[in-house]
Amino acid sequence: MLVSVIIPCYNEELVIQESYKRLTSVMDGLEHTYELIFINDGSRDKTYEILHQLSQEDEKVKVLNFSRNFGHQCAVTAGINHCNGDAAVIIDSDLQDPPEVIVEMLKIMEEQQANVVYGVRKKRKGENWFKLVTAKYFYRFLNNLSDVKFPVDTGDFRLIDRKIIDIFNRMEEKNKYIRGIISWMGYKQLPCYYDRDERFAGETKYPLKKMLKFAMIGVFYFSKKPLKIATFTGFISVLIGVLYGIVALITKLIYPYSLVTGWTTLIILIIFFGGVQLITIGVLGQYIGNLFDEAKDRPEYIVDEKINF
Ligand code: UDP
Ligand code: MG
């Protein structure tokens, strides 16, 4: 069996050499052949030079060099699109996902004929509380919104077989939420529990802005509930409006000459309904924006150079 290892890298000059060493020593211990596919996602540091060097010394090292930074999900997509393996592992370059777990994943896949073995994080070392809390609740929140059931506490660290790779390669979505798409496919998917380590060196390449964008794709590509919630809010607002209208009419009939009052009420209602309308339009806008992205039909990424392919 040929196992492809897919490793997205963005400004990872401090970790790549170590990742290469750890991965090689794990993969050399297996009875399978393997290839290491590094995707350089438009790094501005020495990542490219280091990868180039490694690819000259070891022909199992293959490199896809992007024309600019396209993002983690695009990098992983490129890796899956270009891999030749009978199975592929998606793993971060920063050694937060310990390469040793791959051995266990392969064992689960072989013994239980699984199509996907996904890593479930038991512990996460060296993450700040904000990331821990947001991640924990986000996955549960998404599960409530979506019709697809996603395993919680699971990232993209996983082993997938050729069947899954081939189906993935036919998926035409431009904004990919990879862990969601793979869950959506069905087949036999089994967990593999592991402790997530600290980043080996350097800092996270997922600032809050990228995390939010990623979360939005998860929500708006996997659920139509926001639209239903918007409609529901609309109905509630109409109901409040009608009830208040009745109260206002009755008051007017009973006290026809009362002074002009109700300025506060008026302002509150304008702000409230204005807000509801803006939020609803915003929700619609998200779906339209996503349609726009898909309709443009631009490639998800541009590979400038392929080495050892
Ligand atoms: N990454 C990437 N492109 C990006 C951001 C991140 O290829 O635009 C890679 C990064 O090099 C790492 C993986 O995606 O291998 C996960 O990123 P990171 O470790 O920074 O995220 P975190 O573990 O903090 O969520
Ligand atoms: Mg990381």
Side-chain angles (χ1 to χ4, degrees):
M1 192 159 97
L2 172 67
V3 182
S4 305
V5 185
I6 295 165
I7 314 135
C9 312
Y10 177 50
N11 294 341
E12 301 285 13
E13 60 182 4
L14 297 174
V15 304
I16 287 192
Q17 233 126 19
E18 185 65 21
S19 311
Y20 168 75
K21 266 191 230 143
R22 287 260 304 268
L23 278 167
T24 313
S25 77
V26 168
M27 300 309 290
D28 279 339
L30 297 168
E31 68 261 41
H32 306 294
T33 49
Y34 67 93
E35 59 179 5
L36 303 178
I37 303 179
F38 288 91
I39 301 95
N40 176 28
D41 185 12
S43 304
R44 282 181 296 260
D45 62 359
K46 294 253 163 14
T47 301
Y48 175 78
E49 283 77 5
I50 300 171
L51 288 176
H52 188 85
Q53 179 70 27
L54 287 174
S55 69
Q56 300 309 304
E57 292 161 5
D58 182 349
E59 60 174 17
K60 289 204 222 41
V61 172
K62 304 187 174 184
V63 180
L64 293 170
N65 194 39
F66 279 6
S67 64
R68 65 166 170 86
N69 179 245
F70 280 90
H72 172 237
Q73 298 288 294
C74 293
V76 173
T77 302
I80 301 178
N81 293 161
H82 288 82
C83 78
N84 298 309
D86 303 299
V89 182
I90 303 164
I91 189 167
D92 284 356
S93 59
D94 58 359
L95 293 171
Q96 279 196 288
D97 308 323
E100 293 71 26
V101 179
I102 297 174
V103 182
E104 209 177 315
M105 287 180 162
L106 279 164
K107 215 169 106 197
I108 297 177
M109 179 174 270
E110 279 160 20
E111 282 174 3
Q112 309 189 45
Q113 268 88 48
N115 300 92
V116 177
V117 182
Y118 53 89
V120 181
R121 302 149 175 174
K122 277 190 297 184
K123 282 200 202 107
R124 298 180 81 168
K125 286 182 222 149
E127 263 347 328
N128 63 28
W129 64 270
F130 181 76
K131 182 123 180 178
L132 290 179
V133 172
T134 47
K136 179 169 177 201
Y137 289 103
F138 174 71
Y139 291 125
R140 284 158 181 83
F141 168 72
L142 188 59
N143 255 328
N144 285 326
L145 278 184
S146 172
D147 301 331
V148 187
K149 285 293 153 256
F150 308 109
V152 295
D153 304 325
T154 302
D156 286 325
F157 182 32
R158 59 187 65 215
L159 174 69
I160 56 182
D161 73 358
R162 199 16 86 179
K163 242 186 212 166
I164 301 287
I165 297 170
D166 287 339
I167 298 170
F168 185 90
N169 288 339
R170 291 208 305 270
M171 296 276 178
E172 304 213 329
E173 276 160 81
K174 302 294 169 204
N175 289 320
K176 285 202 174 68
Y177 184 70
I178 295 173
R179 55 198 75 169
I181 289 176
I182 295 178
S183 299
W184 171 88
M185 288 181 197
Y187 290 99
K188 190 165 182 183
Q189 310 210 3
L190 297 176
C192 173
Y193 296 88
Y194 75 104
D195 289 328
R196 193 161 157 95
D197 283 333
E198 264 174 80
R199 186 173 242 288
F200 176 72
E203 53 193 34
T204 176
K205 308 298 177 311
Y206 256 101
L208 184 64
K209 206 176 127 200
K210 273 191 191 168
M211 259 163 68
L212 275 178
K213 188 178 163 206
F214 182 54
M216 297 277 264
I217 291 175
V219 170
F220 289 105
Y221 271 71
F222 281 89
S223 175
K224 281 190 292 236
K225 277 211 186 122
L227 287 173
K228 289 183 194 149
I229 295 169
T231 315
F232 180 73
T233 322
F235 275 117
I236 298 288
S237 315
V238 169
L239 194 69
I240 296 174
V242 168
L243 289 179
Y244 189 69
I246 293 172
V247 171
L249 268 178
I250 292 175
T251 320
K252 191 74 192 165
L253 287 175
I254 299 176
Y255 309 105
Y257 302 110
S258 63
L259 289 173
V260 179
T261 54
W263 187 83
T264 316
T265 326
L266 213 60
I267 286 300
I268 291 174
L269 287 178
I270 288 174
I271 293 173
F272 177 74
F273 288 116
V276 168
Q277 285 172 4
L278 285 178
I279 292 172
T280 314
I281 294 171
V283 170
L284 284 177
Q286 286 298 330
Y287 287 96
I288 294 174
N290 290 339
L291 284 173
F292 177 61
D293 271 353
E294 300 295 332
K296 278 186 292 189
D297 209 23
R298 286 185 193 154
E300 286 158 84
Y301 54 83
I302 299 171
V303 179
D304 172 41
E305 189 189 1
K306 296 180 192 176
I307 309 177
N308 284 348
F309 274 91

